[in-house]
Amino acid sequence: MSVRAHPTVQRGTATPLLVVGISVLVLLLLMTRLRLNGFAALLLVAVGVALVRGIPVATIPDVLSEGIGDQIGDTMLTIGLGAMVGRVMGDSGAAQRIAGKLLDAFGPRWVQVAMVVTAMLIGVTMFYEVAFIIIVPIAFTLVRVTGTKLLWVGLPMSIALSTMHSFLPPHPGPTAVAATFHASVGLTLFYGLFIAVPAGALIALTWPRLPFIRAMNPSIPKGLVSDREFTDEEMPSLGWSLFVALFPVALIVAAAVTDMATSSESPFLNFVAFIGSAPIALLLTLCLAIWAFGPRIGRSLEEVGASCTSAAKAMAMILLVIGAGGAFKNVLVEGGISDYIKDATDGWSISPIVLAWLVAVILRIALGSATVAVVTASGVVLPLLAGSGVHPEMMVLAVACGSIACSHVNDPGFWLFKEYFNLSVIEAIKVRTTYTTVLAVLGLGGVLAAEWALDVLSL
């Protein structure tokens, strides 16, 4: 049931942003001082916020369930199937084969560059979570093979993926905003690449070198990667290893390109969209991986099945925490936080680009949802676009890069990052919240510079 349409919902009198701030502090206290499990802590805080914001007691369970359902519905199939594919590749030696070839091509000294290049190529069209799940087994294997720290290899990958996902269409946030502003998706992608690639690469290669991050040394989470060291003879060929790893990428890219190239309807296009959806693409990849790295190379189906089961067990708590993060986010949305911010920022007399970015940042901090942030921010600033002379593609990029800022405990993606890199809450805030904020600031600078350049060229 949607509480937003419920006639008895009454907004609490407490200042919405104050409620958000206090709820975050309480959550940190529960998890750091009291050592409460993240799943339970998030649900407790979500219930508290719902009560304070005046959501009727009878509807609070529905709000929590709706938030968990929306979040798990979006991520469970992707993360679960992706983890199984990764574990099957790891247990067969395929991940080690790819990691070894990356080392041969780039050398141990340039392993971070290898991760950034790989993540950006894959992340242009793939959701952050999907690309993360596909690439992270290779990152884990590189950590084990090279003996380097987990964040030294994994953090550049995550930063590059975050940049591609947040800045560029055909990802859902930028694509939705492009429709609102009647901007060209193709031009938005073209301009955005000139901003996203240098900004993402700069932060990806700088952040792991910062002293406060180098001081962290988390271990690889148990059950997500094989600890076995394979000989060259035991590993499958590079061709098969790459084919399986890139198979879902090819399906998803084909669907994205087809969707951008044509708006017509046909059975063939519907079929391409079907097999290019992330869950179906990963399900097909899992079937391919079971055959390619099972009976084809002499491993029994029982052994491959054990790999899948091990991955599922390792993912259970991660999925629970991500789902609880979705419940917390939904309570904030249903509690009227986004409406409050929209009303508060209405009428601000500043540059449309800066206003679009700033509203998206405020909404991102308050709600955690990048999608809600971009959609609401675009609605706030849309009336300012007419007659402003600002290119609509720049407005799209301003909103999109603002929505990446300040990822913290009300963002389900924050918990995926935290759990996979085995960090404490405070460590995850130090790493992820800082890099997403700096990316957003660099993005705004890039958008302003690009708008100035376009104005100069049009003179």
Side-chain angles (χ1 to χ4, degrees):
M1 177 180 65
S2 177
V3 178
R4 188 175 295 278
H6 199 288
T8 63
V9 173
Q10 301 292 324
R11 305 305 186 196
T13 57
T15 303
L17 294 183
L18 179 62
V19 172
V20 173
I22 293 174
S23 67
V24 170
L25 291 176
V26 171
L27 183 60
L28 293 176
L29 176 66
L30 290 174
M31 296 189 65
T32 57
R33 290 294 184 88
L34 302 183
R35 304 292 181 185
L36 189 63
N37 172 270
F39 176 70
L42 282 163
L43 289 181
L44 281 174
V45 172
V47 170
V49 171
L51 293 171
V52 171
R53 290 299 301 152
I55 295 177
V57 175
T59 64
I60 290 177
D62 291 328
V63 175
L64 298 179
S65 297
E66 183 180 310
I68 292 174
D70 288 346
Q71 191 61 48
I72 293 297
D74 289 341
T75 60
M76 184 178 71
L77 293 176
T78 297
I79 293 177
L81 290 169
M84 290 181 184
V85 171
R87 187 59 195 260
V88 170
M89 292 184 65
D91 286 349
S92 66
Q96 184 179 326
R97 175 70 78 183
I98 296 173
K101 290 301 179 182
L102 281 174
L103 281 179
D104 292 341
F106 288 88
R109 183 179 178 183
W110 301 101
V111 66
Q112 291 179 316
V113 175
M115 282 286 92
V116 171
V117 171
T118 303
M120 284 189 170
L121 289 174
I122 292 178
V124 168
T125 56
M126 298 186 72
F127 282 26
Y128 172 85
E129 294 85 356
V130 180
F132 187 100
I133 294 299
I134 289 174
I135 305 174
V136 78
I138 298 172
F140 286 162
T141 304
L142 283 170
V143 169
R144 181 167 53 79
V145 171
T146 61
T148 52
K149 291 184 176 181
L150 176 56
L151 291 180
W152 184 258
V153 177
L155 186 54
M157 174 202 76
S158 179
I159 292 172
L161 291 178
S162 294
T163 308
M164 297 294 106
H165 178 84
S166 299
F167 281 28
L168 306 174
H171 295 294
T175 302
V177 179
T180 300
F181 290 136
H182 302 289
S184 165
V185 172
L187 280 178
T188 303
L189 176 59
F190 178 74
Y191 296 146
L193 285 171
F194 285 98
I195 301 171
V197 171
L202 175 64
I203 300 302
L205 298 177
T206 300
W207 234 241
R209 289 169 167 78
L210 298 178
F212 71 93
I213 291 179
R214 297 194 72 164
M216 302 177 192
N217 190 22
S219 59
I220 296 173
K222 298 294 184 183
L224 293 180
V225 68
S226 173
D227 295 326
R228 179 182 171 187
E229 189 81 31
F230 293 87
T231 65
D232 190 69
E233 292 75 19
E234 292 174 321
M235 292 184 287
S237 67
L238 178 63
W240 273 107
S241 301
L242 284 175
F243 181 72
V244 174
L246 296 178
F247 186 69
V249 179
L251 294 179
I252 293 171
V253 168
V257 170
T258 303
D259 183 62
M260 291 174 63
T262 179
S263 59
S264 62
E265 290 286 334
S266 72
F268 174 74
L269 293 178
N270 289 334
F271 176 74
V272 172
F274 168 69
I275 64 172
S277 63
I280 300 302
L282 286 168
L283 178 60
L284 294 174
T285 304
L286 178 61
C287 294
L288 176 63
I290 289 173
W291 173 78
F293 304 135
R296 198 186 69 83
I297 60 172
R299 295 180 72 218
S300 68
L301 289 177
E302 185 178 357
E303 290 178 294
V304 180
S307 297
C308 294
T309 301
S310 177
K313 289 179 179 178
M315 290 304 304
M317 184 50 67
I318 294 176
L319 286 170
L320 283 175
V321 172
I322 291 172
F328 184 30
K329 176 196 74 177
N330 199 47
V331 164
L332 293 174
V333 174
E334 297 292 349
I337 308 296
S338 59
D339 295 334
Y340 171 84
I341 294 171
K342 183 175 180 179
D343 293 340
T345 56
D346 187 32
W348 285 8
S349 299
I350 57 177
S351 161
I353 288 178
V354 176
L355 178 62
W357 180 86
L358 189 58
V359 173
V361 169
I362 296 171
L363 286 161
R364 166 71 160 175
I365 294 172
L367 301 174
S369 171
T371 302
V372 174
V374 295
V375 171
T376 305
S378 61
V380 170
V381 299
L382 179 61
L384 301 179
L385 181 60
S388 68
V390 176
H391 293 80
E393 292 79 17
M394 294 299 109
M395 293 291 286
V396 174
L397 292 172
V399 172
C401 67
S403 72
I404 194 178
C406 301
S407 170
H408 63 99
V409 294
N410 60 0
D411 173 18
F414 171 91
W415 297 101
L416 176 71
F417 177 89
K418 172 196 173 298
E419 296 297 326
Y420 259 90
F421 288 129
N422 213 8
L423 298 167
S424 69
V425 177
I426 298 300
E427 287 175 333
I429 289 174
K430 289 180 178 179
V431 179
R432 181 170 168 88
T433 307
T434 55
Y435 90 65
T436 53
T437 302
V438 173
L439 273 176
V441 173
L442 288 178
L444 174 62
V447 171
L448 291 171
E451 177 64 20
W452 174 82
L454 290 174
D455 287 342
V456 170
L457 291 173
S458 63
L459 293 177

